[in-house]
């Protein structure tokens, strides 16, 4: 009996243990199943968050944010992310939270920058400080974020600079800060450039605020242009009157000439290189009607020769050598030769006469042979009574208005020049320096 009771108790205990084991297994199994379901749920939330997060970026790498995202999209991802509570995803959750925080900053700064514009036009109240502050905030974001925002910053800076430049340009039209005095040398082109600058400014209200000021400048320029046109007209009129006066003076000066149109003989073209006295005398005599059929060669041969220039011609009348003395004849024997060769008793040595006296002779119609220097150069050394560069020409003209002297030179220049108009003071200086030597043919 006792034995049966023992086995009974053992059976009961075994049954109880079995039931407890079954119950414990069921609990363990259920917990395991619940844990697996929880893990699956957390993994699904992560996958959903990652998909939603990827939509906030414009690139596969999820580095550059989508420029059109809104704060509500970020909040939606954050709400999804809040469901990730499993410890194994803690680091991932922190990384996603950091990205969402940057995206929040990006969206906030993007909206802030956009707030400075109205339909692409920068608000006029925007300041340099605003741009600087925005720049600072942009620089705090990752490089991939700032690339999107820098374009807007550049636009801000460009329009702000355009506003400042227009203000400076308008101010630059004036001499004073109150903009009351237009710059004296302001040109129409400079003014037009400022007007065009104002017309291009997107901030139309600001640009139009300068309309009255620019109109004031235009009014001043119109008045100045009118005055300038009148001044030009007066200048043209003055120039015209001056030209008329000049022509009148030229006409009067031309009429004031007393010119003796003597026949011409060239000593150098006829190779009578020292024949200036003979050529001058022959031209003067022929002008008075004497020796018209005599040529220069024949007349030069007729000239008396001597070793004394007070008697006749010294040296060769043809050759320039020797150069140790001056080839010439003095006024007295030259006048005597003129009288004797032509029969004209009115060939007179008037040496010592002033240039004014010679002018009177020309006015009376009498050519005058005068002793000067070649091309009126300064006197060279004196040899046998005369300067080494002595030359004889014929005084054939005098201008009563200007005092200019006209000379007929027997030495023909390379350009064919035969006569020279010489200022009175220049001729008088040379004539006096050579000794006031002259012969008149009356």
């Amino acid at each position: 009996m006792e034995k049966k009771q023992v086995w009974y108790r053992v059976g009961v205990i075994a049954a109880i243990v079995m039931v407890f084991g079954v119950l414990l297994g069921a609990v363990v199994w259920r917990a395991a199943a619940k844990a697996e379901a929880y893990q699956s749920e957390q993994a699904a939330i992560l996958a959903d968050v990652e998909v939603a997060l990827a939509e906030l970026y414009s690139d596969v790498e999820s580095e550059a944010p989508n420029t059109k995202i809104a704060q509500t999209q970020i909040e939606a991802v954050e709400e999804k992310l809040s469901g990730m509570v499993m410890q194994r995803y803690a680091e991932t959750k922190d990384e996603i939270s950091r990205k969402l925080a940057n995206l929040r900053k990006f969206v906030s700064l993007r909206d802030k920058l956009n707030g400075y514009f109205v339909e692409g036009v920068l608000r006029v109240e925007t300041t340099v400080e605003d741009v600087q502050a925005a720049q600072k905030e942009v620089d705090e974001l990752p490089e991939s974020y700032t690339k999107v925002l820098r374009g807007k910053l550049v636009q801000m800076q460009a329009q702000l600079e355009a506003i400042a430049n227009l203000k400076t340009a308008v101010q630059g039209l004036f001499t004073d800060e109150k903009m009351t005095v237009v710059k004296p040398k302001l040109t129409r082109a400079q003014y037009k450039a400022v007007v065009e600058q104002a017309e291009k400014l997107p901030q139309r209200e600001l640009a139009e605020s300068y309309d009255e000021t620019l109109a004031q400048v235009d009014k001043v320029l119109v008045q100045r242009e009118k005055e300038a046109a009148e001044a030009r007209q007066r200048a043209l009129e003055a120039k015209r009157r001056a030209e008329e006066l000049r022509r009148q003076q030229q006409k009067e000066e031309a009429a004031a000439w007393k010119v003796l149109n003597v026949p011409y003989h060239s000593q150098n073209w006829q190779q009578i290189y020292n024949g200036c006295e003979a050529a001058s005398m022959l031209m003067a005599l022929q002008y008075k009607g004497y020796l018209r059929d005599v040529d220069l060669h024949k007349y030069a041969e007729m000239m008396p020769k001597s070793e004394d220039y007070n008697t006749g011609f010294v040296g060769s009348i043809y050759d320039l050598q020797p150069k140790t003395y001056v080839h010439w004849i003095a006024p007295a024997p030259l006048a005597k030769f003129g009288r004797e060769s032509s029969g004209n008793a009115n060939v007179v040595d008037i040496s010592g006469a002033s240039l004014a006296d010679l002018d009177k002779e020309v006015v009376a119609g009498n050519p005058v042979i005068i002793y000067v220097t070649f091309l009126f150069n300064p006197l060279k050394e004196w040899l046998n009574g005369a300067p080494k560069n002595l030359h004889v020409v014929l005084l054939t003209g005098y201008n009563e208005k200007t005092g200019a002297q006209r000379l007929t030179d027997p030495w023909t220049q390379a350009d064919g020049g035969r006569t020279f108009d010489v200022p009175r003071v220049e001729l008088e200086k040379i004539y006096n320096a050579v000794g006031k030597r002259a012969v008149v043919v009356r």
Side-chain angles (χ1 to χ4, degrees):
M1 188 68 179
E2 292 179 357
K3 201 175 205 178
K4 287 181 179 180
Q5 290 179 345
V6 170
W7 281 108
Y8 174 77
R9 290 176 180 172
V10 170
V12 172
I13 292 170
I16 293 170
V17 169
M18 185 178 295
V19 171
F20 182 76
V22 171
L23 291 173
L24 180 62
V27 170
V28 171
W29 175 83
R30 186 174 181 180
K34 188 176 181 180
E36 184 177 352
Y38 176 68
Q39 289 180 6
S40 297
E41 180 186 358
Q42 290 290 295
I45 291 174
L46 175 60
D48 192 20
V49 167
E50 287 178 340
V51 170
L53 181 65
E55 292 178 353
L56 303 181
Y57 293 89
S58 61
D59 58 339
V60 177
E61 295 80 8
S62 294
E63 292 183 355
N66 188 328
T67 58
K68 296 182 179 180
I69 61 173
Q71 289 287 5
T72 54
Q73 291 176 278
I74 299 173
E75 290 170 357
V77 177
E78 287 176 334
E79 185 177 350
K80 292 177 184 293
L81 185 63
S82 65
M84 285 178 55
V85 294
M86 196 171 182
Q87 185 62 33
R88 67 182 293 184
Y89 296 129
E91 290 185 7
T92 302
K93 183 177 181 180
D94 289 343
E95 177 63 21
I96 294 173
S97 294
R98 184 185 61 80
K99 288 185 177 181
L100 291 173
N102 282 336
L103 287 171
R104 273 187 175 279
K105 290 180 181 179
F106 168 79
V107 172
S108 176
L109 185 54
R110 181 203 63 190
D111 293 344
K112 181 179 180 180
L113 292 177
N114 287 335
Y116 287 118
F117 293 84
V118 177
E119 297 182 355
V121 178
L122 185 68
R123 296 179 184 275
V124 293
E125 60 269 19
T126 306
T127 65
V128 175
E129 290 73 19
D130 292 332
V131 177
Q132 292 173 342
Q135 179 69 62
K136 185 177 179 181
E137 291 185 62
V138 168
D139 291 342
E140 291 173 354
L141 290 173
E143 180 64 23
S144 58
Y145 287 49
T146 60
K147 288 180 179 178
V148 180
L149 300 173
R150 282 205 180 104
K152 187 64 71 172
L153 271 176
V154 170
Q155 189 178 2
M156 285 181 69
Q157 291 167 340
Q159 292 198 29
L160 195 62
E161 184 177 353
I163 292 171
N165 288 344
L166 178 59
K167 181 178 180 181
T168 301
V170 174
Q171 181 70 60
L173 301 175
F174 299 85
T175 61
D176 60 322
E177 292 185 1
K178 293 183 178 180
M179 295 191 293
T180 57
V181 181
V182 178
K183 283 186 175 179
K185 295 184 179 180
L186 183 68
T187 65
R188 173 62 66 175
Q190 292 171 325
Y191 166 76
K192 186 177 179 181
V194 177
V195 171
E196 291 175 352
Q197 194 173 341
E199 290 173 347
K200 293 177 181 177
L201 193 72
Q203 292 72 21
R204 295 314 308 152
E205 184 177 352
L206 176 62
E208 289 167 3
S209 69
Y210 290 114
D211 285 352
E212 186 176 345
T213 302
L214 292 175
Q216 173 191 347
V217 176
D218 180 63
K219 184 177 180 180
V220 171
L221 288 179
V222 168
Q223 180 60 31
R224 288 179 181 177
E225 287 162 355
K226 179 182 178 182
E227 293 172 355
E230 292 173 350
R232 286 194 297 272
Q233 187 61 38
R234 289 194 298 270
L236 288 173
E237 183 62 24
K239 184 177 180 181
R240 183 189 64 77
R241 289 196 301 269
E243 180 62 19
E244 288 181 356
L245 180 60
R246 185 186 66 81
R247 290 177 180 176
Q248 181 61 30
Q249 289 175 338
Q250 287 181 335
K251 185 176 180 181
E252 292 175 359
E253 289 173 6
W257 275 105
K258 175 62 178 179
V259 178
L260 309 180
N261 295 313
V262 301
Y264 187 75
H265 292 283
S266 175
Q267 66 181 101
N268 53 318
W269 282 7
Q270 298 187 55
Q271 298 180 334
I272 307 174
Y273 297 113
N274 293 319
C276 55
E277 295 95 332
S280 295
M281 179 61 75
L282 183 59
M283 288 188 286
L285 287 170
Q286 288 184 343
Y287 175 75
K288 285 295 188 176
Y290 299 92
L291 306 177
R292 289 183 175 175
D293 296 330
V294 177
D295 62 29
L296 182 57
H297 275 281
K298 182 177 179 180
Y299 196 64
E301 288 294 332
M302 292 168 58
M303 180 172 287
K305 313 300 188 295
S306 174
E307 295 182 358
D308 182 0
Y309 54 82
N310 287 315
T311 302
F313 190 87
V314 176
S316 171
I317 201 168
Y318 299 105
D319 301 320
L320 297 176
Q321 300 296 334
K323 294 186 177 181
T324 55
Y325 55 88
V326 181
H327 302 252
W328 76 299
I329 182 173
L334 179 62
K336 181 180 179 182
F337 168 60
R339 290 191 297 271
E340 292 178 350
S341 63
S342 65
N344 179 3
N346 292 317
V347 180
V348 183
D349 175 13
I350 56 172
S351 295
S354 66
L355 187 56
D357 294 331
L358 304 189
D359 288 338
K360 292 178 182 178
E361 292 289 350
V362 172
V363 172
N366 305 321
V368 182
I369 301 167
I370 61 173
Y371 289 64
V372 290
T373 58
F374 190 71
L375 295 179
F376 314 104
N377 290 322
L379 278 67
K380 293 185 178 180
E381 62 179 312
W382 286 68
L383 299 173
N384 58 305
K388 192 174 181 179
N389 57 341
L390 179 71
H391 188 45
V392 171
V393 296
L394 201 59
L395 181 61
T396 55
Y398 165 67
N399 192 297
E400 294 177 338
K401 187 173 182 64
T402 66
Q405 317 291 138
R406 180 162 296 177
L407 302 170
T408 300
D409 191 343
W411 187 280
T412 309
Q413 299 302 307
D415 60 359
R418 299 178 177 185
T419 61
F420 299 91
D421 292 342
V422 183
R424 179 183 186 83
V425 64
E426 182 178 347
L427 179 61
E428 192 167 33
K429 179 180 178 181
I430 296 297
Y431 171 68
N432 292 346
V434 173
K436 294 185 179 180
R437 292 167 170 169
V439 175
V440 64
V441 179
R442 298 181 175 125

